């Protein structure tokens, strides 16, 4: 078994060699960018096999390669993948328009399993699954995908994080969020550059309720399988 420090350095070198950002690799692996960053810096233990396979997908390497990097086995056929005891399911909402979704049962489309590392980090009660409706973030999140949002304090949001946002009571939208002392900025990430433009509001206006802006969660996982 490799040390977590050696494992982290190796996967970071692979990511940099392929010119992926942490965010790009993490989204391709269906894991949070912060979790991948902690792995790369040796602050997390080497993950379970099912998480290693997702990481291999994010780094565009084979399952055999990621297992060898982790120092688990040389032969992938010898690995026994066990079910995570921490796996939970949360409801998928098709639309959120008035804050955290108490009373929005009519908009539930089904359920989705959440990765155990996400549950361990944020707690299942702080997670929200929301169906993406639109093309404003299609460079990183395709229309129809399911995004997993974590209800976090705004102080833990890093500029550039993708968050679910409700403005003026409209249905939630996903945007890159940038919070400055005097303003908050929302940026799309779409191939349709002429259709979707960044927008921002002064902090003083938001504090006065014009417009009402609510960040309902930070994107920590997304899937296009639904």
């Amino acid at each position: 078994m490799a040390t977590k420090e050696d494992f982290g350095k190796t996967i970071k070198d692979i990511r940099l060699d392929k010119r992926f950002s942490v965010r790009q690799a993490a989204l391709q692996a269906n894991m949070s960018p912060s979790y991948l960053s902690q792995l790369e810096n040796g602050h997390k233990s080497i993950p379970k096999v099912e998480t290693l396979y997702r990481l291999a997908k994010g780094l565009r390497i084979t399952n055999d390669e990621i297992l060898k990097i982790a120092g688990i086995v040389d032969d992938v056929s010898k690995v026994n993948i066990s079910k995570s005891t921490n796996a939970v399911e949360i409801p998928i909402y098709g639309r959120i328009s008035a804050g955290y979704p108490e009373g929005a049962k009519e908009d539930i489309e089904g359920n989705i399993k959440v990765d155990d590392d996400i549950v361990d980090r944020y707690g299942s009660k702080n997670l929200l699954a929301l169906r993406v409706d639109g093309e404003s973030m299609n460079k990183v999140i395709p229309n129809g995908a399911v995004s997993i949002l974590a209800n976090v304090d705004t102080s833990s949001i890093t500029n550039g994080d993708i968050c679910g946002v409700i403005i003026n009571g409209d249905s939630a939208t996903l945007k890159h969020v940038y919070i400055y002392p005097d303003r908050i900025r929302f940026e799309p990430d779409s191939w349709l550059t002429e259709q979707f433009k960044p927008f921002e509001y002064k902090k003083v206006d938001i504090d006065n309720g014009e417009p009402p802006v609510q960040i309902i969660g930070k994107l920590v996982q997304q899937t296009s399988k639904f």
Side-chain angles (χ1 to χ4, degrees), residues 90-99 101 104-112 128-134 143-147 149 166 170-174 216 226:
I90 60 175
I92 301 169
Y93 289 87
R95 183 175 183 272
I96 301 296
S97 59
K105 293 182 179 180
E106 68 275 9
D107 291 314
I108 294 176
E109 298 182 353
N111 296 289
I112 186 172
L128 167 69
L130 181 64
R131 174 90 57 191
V132 175
D133 181 15
N143 186 16
V146 176
S147 58
L149 306 176
I166 294 174
D170 292 334
S171 58
T173 180
L174 294 180
I216 61 172
F226 289 80

Side-chain angles (χ1 to χ4, degrees), residues 47-67:
K48 298 176 183 178
V49 173
E50 58 266 33
T51 304
L52 287 173
Y53 285 175
R54 294 205 319 277
L55 181 57
K57 180 180 178 182
L59 295 174
R60 296 293 193 267
I61 62 176
T62 67
N63 290 341
D64 297 86
E65 288 175 303
I66 198 68
L67 291 176

